[in-house]
Amino acid sequence: MTFLPLLAGLLVGPLIGLQDGPSEADFYAVDYLPTPQDEVIEVGGMDFLSDGRLVVSTRRGQVWIITNPLADDPADATFSLYCEGLWEGLGLAVVNDVIHVVQRGELSRLFDTDGDGVCDRIETVTDAWGLSGNYHEFAFGLPRDDDGNLYVGLNLAFFSPQWWHGKSAVPWRGWVLRISPDGDATPVACGFRSPCGMGRNAAGDIFVTDNQGDWVSSSPIYHLTDGAFYSHPASLDWTDGYIASKTKASSEIPAARASERKPPAIWIPYKWSRSTGNLASDETGGRFGPFADQLFVGELTNGLVVRADLEKVRGEYQGAVMMFRRNIGSVARVAFAPDGTLFCGLTNRGWGGKTPADGIARVRWQGGVPMEMQRVHLLQDGFEVTFTHPVADDCTITTDEVDLQQYDYDYWWEYGSPERHTARVEVTGTELSGDRTRLTIRTAGLTPAMVARCVLSDVVGNGGRPLLHGEFNYTINQLPEGEATSDFVAKVVPPPPSKDSTEEGWVRLSYGDPFQLWESSGWKLCDVDLEPDDPTKLATRDGVGALVNLGEGKPSHYVSKPVFGDAEFHVEFLLPQGGNSGVYVMGRYEVQLADSAGVRDPGFSDCGGVYKGETWRGAGPAFNAFKGAGTWHDLDIRFRAPRFDADGKKTRNASFERVLLDGTAIHKDLEVPEPTLGPLFADEAATGPLLLQGDHGPVAYGNLRVKPLGKRRKDEEGWEPVFPEASFEEWKSTGNAEWELTDEGVLIGTGEMGHIFSPRADYEDFELRGRFKINDGGNSGLYFRVTPTDGWPDGYEAQINSNYPDPQKTGSLYNLSKILVHPIAENTWFDYHVTCRGTDAGTHIVIRVNGLALVDYVDTENRHARGHVGLQQHHKGSRIEAKDVVIRELK
């Protein structure tokens, strides 16, 4: 439910295959049950009582009973709070009118013994799994098999600093458990990462969805079978072999059982699903349209439902997935009502899903049958596609109308995988059946252990009905005939190099105190969503997820105090319907942010356009990558500042080397000859601030980061090591810290508090620089002009602190000039550059972090005249690392 730059490029614009003509809403309408005032219903589970009332559990630990949920007017549905105070409720089942809820740490039965409509007794069915306290140890469920057993899926933990590596710290994390009616828990299968969705098909088989991440290439749908291992190795820690050998599964090396994986029945493409919810089988007897016994799967991030058509090949499930209905909201749960309505439970927990972010939606069939691909059947050399209507007599489907490709994935510890080895498959023939409802596609040959993506163009049914969705993705684990393959769609590849952090080189500008490094008024820190009754407005609530220009007073622009030249910028933003804002690089060159949903030929004033200047006409984005109002977007910019000679004459124009919107490249090597028309800074210069436009209506921003692109110079003269390796034994230290110098020249401090000091004790005016890394919860400091003492050293300190509970963070001149923003992530190497020199006004100190000046301070008291350079190890559990620490004296 988190997405890294590796995968960002896979979402390349609008979903493929939606043709002009009737819309999804013409066949499947969506409405929403109004929720009680001031209540946030983040749905974790849904089921129905025998009298037709809907029961809903929530992430916030409540259970609601909704009377009249099928009313024609959704406002006629009434909510009653049945229970609260549970520890999350991410799965719910009604068994003989008894409500069962899976909490984080147990499966519970809820009873109303006095009949007043409120739960007054909670009975533990089982608590047979562990909790370490990690925030990500969710418990999901609750499908029920024909024997009355319930199924619970247990999320792995994601500990800092390696949050992208799932861990099974306690039993049975990464497993699915079978819970008998009397509470006996049996571990069924392992290898899951975040098994958010579970359900059963019409045959009674249990299926599990997982969320892409480490060891999970995209979003899979698994058929659950006893004893199977699916993908993520962490859960193997609780198998007999690992326990007996006291072995822990590697976070980065594939387990021996990687060759024994049970492959997904379906891989959902990343562009359709990044955070998959649960699934429900259409057993409505035709009350939901022409898709009997198919699976409908919720998707949180893109706010939609996809449709899965499974078949058995060589005795195992595999099949096709197709788009079904978009623009619903953050769909985490789906359930069919007795009348055939598909209820969708919404929650996004701040993960950036599609709005609405919470509540209950209803998807209702309107009676008409869309022209769709109803079934997809795999042949040895192609596919047989069955349509819901005959193809029109005057519509000829030739090989030119069939675009067929195959692709696979990497199986590795990285966060997900791009589509690999994409290759076009030659389509050799097409043939329609006599009744024109079945299309046979013949190819030059399909490859097993790959996914086939097929896109049909210009297909029209009788009556002029265009094909509503023209794409399917079929997971070919095996072909029907010939020798079976032992390979997988997700193939083992050499593991990528280990890495400490994804943020090296970046400076976070809004993490912690988001106002310290900015000039602004009328902005506030809060959580935000679209106003339910007026999507042109933003609704705010208490929280820390966004910066919104809806604070007190008239909003200003949000302007950084630091200035930048060549740099990369990362900005996340959310707009309401009709919203308009802009990101001004150097306060002068605007990347336009605007609600441009549906624009086919975007110009400079559409989202992602570089706005025009006084004479320059501007540039529209290469693609309209805007996903819609109410959705968080990622904007990534690589910018080169203009250059000027000694006389101030411009020698090079400013340029956008690259602009990405949600990973889609919308500009490349775009030269900008003049500033945007009407910015705050009309004159050109070599540096300038980052400016976020705040006077064009409501907008939300977040996760503001910069990566200065100035090179660290290594060829200058006069630099010498602060801690010469040859004299390591002569370095002075105090306290009880343990210091180690590695063969690679990395100085590491661990253990109790202590300090280590340079051999020289007479540094006065100098430049000091080095690379440092502090662990999660660690604390340290780079001292200069310092005198060792038995207690705290007497000197200046440049603080090193990512998230230790001291408000002064990395970049602070301790107790003299405090940095309250958290500029550097934990376990991330960063560059520190300190300049210290005496002046007539006092001791002038400048502290730069990754090239960005955060402190420029004059100590008029000249507290410390000269001394050592030192490094602190603050407390047990802290770990400080330093390398390339050099100094150059200033004359």
Side-chain angles (χ1 to χ4, degrees):
M1 308 197 186
T2 43
F3 319 100
L4 298 184
L6 172 69
L7 291 177
L10 299 180
L11 190 61
V12 292
L15 299 170
I16 295 173
L18 191 65
Q19 309 294 331
D20 293 334
S23 69
E24 295 168 339
D26 293 328
F27 303 100
Y28 290 92
V30 177
D31 61 13
Y32 302 87
L33 301 185
T35 55
Q37 186 174 0
D38 298 326
E39 294 289 349
V40 178
I41 310 293
E42 296 178 311
V43 178
M46 296 189 298
D47 203 353
F48 289 86
L49 294 164
S50 61
D51 61 7
R53 289 179 296 164
L54 174 64
V55 187
V56 170
S57 62
T58 76
R59 186 185 70 82
R60 299 189 177 204
Q62 297 175 322
V63 175
W64 294 82
I65 295 180
I66 297 103
T67 302
N68 207 18
L70 297 172
D72 289 338
D73 184 351
D76 292 337
T78 58
F79 285 69
S80 175
L81 183 60
Y82 179 73
C83 183
E84 61 183 335
L86 303 179
W87 194 1
E88 296 173 338
L90 300 184
L92 182 144
V94 176
V95 181
N96 298 323
D97 273 353
V98 176
I99 298 171
H100 293 64
V101 177
V102 58
Q103 300 188 62
R104 179 172 283 240
E106 71 169 62
L107 175 60
S108 311
R109 292 190 186 103
L110 278 54
F111 296 94
D112 171 17
T113 60
D114 58 9
D116 66 351
V118 177
C119 173
D120 49 35
R121 190 175 99 237
I122 299 176
E123 178 182 293
T124 298
V125 179
T126 183
D127 58 0
W129 60 88
L131 290 168
S132 74
N134 182 266
Y135 90 100
H136 220 291
E137 287 180 337
F138 306 118
F140 305 106
L142 283 168
R144 184 167 176 256
D145 67 18
D146 291 338
D147 296 323
N149 301 304
L150 294 170
Y151 290 80
V152 173
L154 300 175
N155 211 111
L156 294 174
F158 295 97
F159 293 101
S160 295
Q162 292 180 324
W163 63 267
W164 57 86
H165 288 171
K167 296 292 184 183
S168 184
V170 291
W172 296 87
R173 292 289 157 187
W175 290 69
V176 168
L177 306 184
R178 180 189 297 121
I179 315 297
S180 70
D182 60 5
D184 290 336
T186 303
V188 175
C190 64
F192 301 101
R193 179 182 178 271
S194 186
C196 177
M198 308 179 75
R200 54 176 283 169
N201 67 356
D205 294 316
I206 304 298
F207 288 82
V208 182
T209 69
D210 211 336
N211 278 228
Q212 59 92 26
D214 53 321
W215 302 107
V216 182
S217 308
S218 188
S219 294
I221 301 175
Y222 297 118
H223 172 218
L224 184 68
T225 56
D226 284 26
F229 168 68
Y230 287 89
S231 190
H232 201 291
S235 56
L236 294 172
D237 289 357
W238 305 106
T239 58
D240 292 342
Y242 277 70
I243 293 173
S245 62
K246 298 181 180 180
T247 301
K248 295 291 184 181
S250 171
S251 294
E252 299 183 354
I253 306 301
R257 287 191 65 180
S259 61
E260 303 171 12
R261 285 171 286 152
K262 185 176 178 66
I266 284 177
W267 285 104
I268 307 175
Y270 177 82
K271 65 178 180 179
W272 286 350
S273 182
R274 288 181 277 174
S275 300
T276 314
N278 79 318
L279 40 84
S281 173
D282 178 5
E283 300 170 43
T284 64
R287 292 188 294 276
F288 195 65
F291 307 115
D293 298 340
Q294 295 189 18
L295 297 176
F296 291 81
V297 188
E299 205 292 316
L300 186 157
T301 304
N302 293 321
L304 50 82
V305 172
V306 296
R307 177 166 57 92
D309 177 27
L310 292 168
E311 61 181 346
K312 281 193 173 182
V313 176
R314 299 182 188 245
E316 297 287 348
Y317 284 110
Q318 61 183 43
V321 61
M322 291 156 274
M323 182 55 60
F324 174 67
R325 183 60 162 89
R326 302 180 297 172
N327 296 320
I328 300 172
S330 297
V331 183
R333 295 289 177 259
V334 290
F336 279 104
D339 75 335
T341 297
L342 182 67
F343 278 76
C344 298
L346 313 179
T347 182
N348 76 17
R349 197 192 170 276
W351 280 317
K354 187 79 171 180
T355 56
D358 48 71
I360 300 169
R362 305 187 301 185
V363 181
R364 293 183 143 182
W365 184 40
Q366 300 301 289
V369 176
M371 178 62 176
E372 286 276 41
M373 294 180 285
Q374 184 179 36
R375 297 281 182 185
V376 177
H377 170 59
L378 177 68
L379 306 173
Q380 183 68 15
D381 63 347
F383 296 96
E384 182 182 83
V385 179
T386 300
F387 297 104
T388 54
H389 292 283
V391 174
D393 292 340
D394 59 352
C395 177
T396 302
I397 305 177
T398 70
T399 58
D400 292 336
E401 280 75 52
V402 182
D403 183 14
L404 186 59
Q405 301 179 46
Q406 286 198 265
Y407 59 90
D408 58 12
Y409 295 113
D410 292 333
Y411 177 66
W412 57 359
W413 63 261
E414 268 285 13
Y415 199 96
S417 167
E419 293 176 2
R420 300 291 199 192
H421 308 116
T422 301
R424 197 167 301 280
V425 178
E426 181 185 356
V427 178
T428 58
T430 57
E431 182 181 354
L432 279 168
S433 62
D435 62 1
R436 303 185 68 80
T437 62
R438 292 189 308 280
L439 171 68
T440 300
I441 301 170
R442 300 290 183 184
T443 74
L446 295 171
T447 303
M450 297 192 81
V451 179
R453 173 182 290 124
C454 183
V455 180
L456 304 181
S457 302
D458 301 324
V459 175
V460 180
N462 279 348
R465 304 177 182 91
L467 190 61
L468 189 60
H469 299 105
E471 176 180 338
F472 68 82
N473 286 256
Y474 190 106
T475 300
I476 308 176
N477 292 320
Q478 300 287 347
L479 289 169
E481 303 169 10
E483 184 177 353
T485 182
S486 59
D487 210 344
F488 297 85
V489 171
K491 296 173 173 62
V492 174
V493 296
S498 299
K499 56 186 179 184
D500 297 308
S501 171
T502 60
E503 297 193 47
E504 190 166 334
W506 289 90
V507 180
R508 304 186 297 189
L509 302 177
S510 61
Y511 191 87
D513 182 344
F515 300 106
Q516 184 185 22
L517 299 181
W518 300 82
E519 300 283 358
S520 68
S521 62
W523 292 75
K524 68 177 182 178
L525 183 64
C526 58
D527 285 342
V528 68
D529 211 331
L530 292 183
E531 183 69 51
D533 297 329
D534 185 356
T536 65
K537 298 179 180 179
L538 296 179
T540 64
R541 58 184 184 273
D542 290 343
V544 295
L547 286 159
V548 184
N549 58 343
L550 295 175
E552 296 182 2
K554 183 179 179 180
S556 69
H557 300 313
Y558 198 73
V559 186
S560 68
K561 295 176 184 177
V563 296
F564 315 99
D566 295 349
E568 293 185 32
F569 300 92
H570 176 84
V571 176
E572 297 176 13
F573 68 93
L574 178 148
L575 293 169
Q577 283 187 11
N580 185 300
S581 185
V583 174
Y584 286 79
V585 179
M586 294 181 61
R588 295 168 172 85
Y589 309 96
E590 182 189 10
V591 177
Q592 174 76 10
L593 307 182
D595 177 6
S596 55
V599 176
R600 291 183 176 272
D601 186 18
F604 68 83
S605 62
D606 293 304
C607 196
V610 177
Y611 210 81
K612 66 181 181 180
E614 185 174 354
T615 60
W616 183 63
R617 300 178 61 183
F623 304 95
N624 183 3
F626 184 73
K627 293 188 295 187
T631 297
W632 280 100
H633 295 75
D634 292 351
L635 178 68
D636 289 282
I637 299 169
R638 186 179 178 93
F639 179 83
R640 294 292 180 181
R643 293 287 189 269
F644 302 88
D645 62 21
D647 297 325
K649 182 180 180 181
K650 187 168 65 172
T651 59
R652 187 185 78 179
N653 285 329
S655 65
F656 289 93
E657 285 191 354
R658 181 179 67 236
V659 180
L660 305 178
L661 185 58
D662 293 324
T664 299
I666 56 175
H667 294 288
K668 184 177 180 181
D669 297 327
L670 175 65
E671 190 172 310
V672 183
E674 61 183 2
T676 295
L677 188 65
L680 289 184
F681 303 89
D683 61 311
E684 291 198 277
T687 62
L690 182 65
L691 183 152
L692 309 180
Q693 191 174 51
D695 63 352
H696 274 45
V699 61
Y701 285 103
N703 194 11
L704 309 175
R705 293 185 288 154
V706 63
K707 185 178 184 179
L709 296 178
K711 294 182 179 180
R712 188 180 187 212
R713 294 168 295 179
K714 297 182 178 181
D715 56 350
E716 299 176 73
E717 296 181 355
W719 293 94
E720 62 181 37
V722 172
F723 302 106
E725 297 181 29
S727 59
F728 177 59
E729 299 301 327
E730 301 174 12
W731 298 358
K732 181 177 177 61
S733 63
T734 61
N736 298 311
E738 299 175 5
W739 297 97
E740 173 191 0
L741 185 64
T742 70
D743 293 340
E744 292 77 26
V746 179
L747 176 62
I748 301 173
T750 56
E752 305 289 345
M753 176 179 283
H755 301 80
I756 195 165
F757 302 94
S758 64
R760 280 188 56 179
D762 59 350
Y763 293 119
E764 184 174 356
D765 292 350
F766 53 82
E767 286 184 83
L768 171 66
R769 66 190 186 194
R771 290 176 58 75
F772 299 87
K773 181 172 69 171
I774 189 71
N775 70 329
D776 186 8
N779 189 16
S780 180
L782 176 64
Y783 285 82
F784 50 96
R785 286 192 181 182
V786 64
T787 301
T789 68
D790 292 336
W792 292 102
D794 184 23
Y796 296 113
E797 178 188 359
Q799 173 79 327
I800 301 174
N801 174 16
S802 62
N803 58 3
Y804 180 75
D806 182 324
Q808 302 185 62
K809 303 303 178 184
T810 298
S812 298
L813 180 60
Y814 202 77
N815 282 342
L816 297 177
S817 183
K818 301 177 181 180
I819 297 299
L820 306 180
V821 71
H822 301 201
I824 301 297
E826 63 274 9
N827 287 284
T828 302
W829 285 104
F830 70 93
D831 291 333
Y832 235 163
H833 188 161
V834 176
T835 303
C836 177
R837 72 166 74 216
T839 69
D840 292 340
T843 303
H844 184 197
I845 299 170
V846 178
I847 299 177
R848 292 179 173 85
V849 176
N850 284 345
L852 188 64
L854 296 184
V855 166
D856 191 335
Y857 181 84
V858 177
D859 177 14
T860 58
E861 299 181 20
N862 291 310
R863 289 173 174 83
H864 312 288
R866 63 182 56 83
H868 295 269
V869 172
L871 189 63
Q872 179 192 69
Q873 157 60 14
H874 187 269
H875 62 272
K876 189 174 182 179
S878 178
R879 177 186 174 94
I880 177 63
E881 299 180 50
K883 60 183 179 181
D884 302 331
V885 184
V886 294
I887 195 167
R888 179 172 66 174
E889 294 186 82
L890 300 175
K891 297 179 182 180

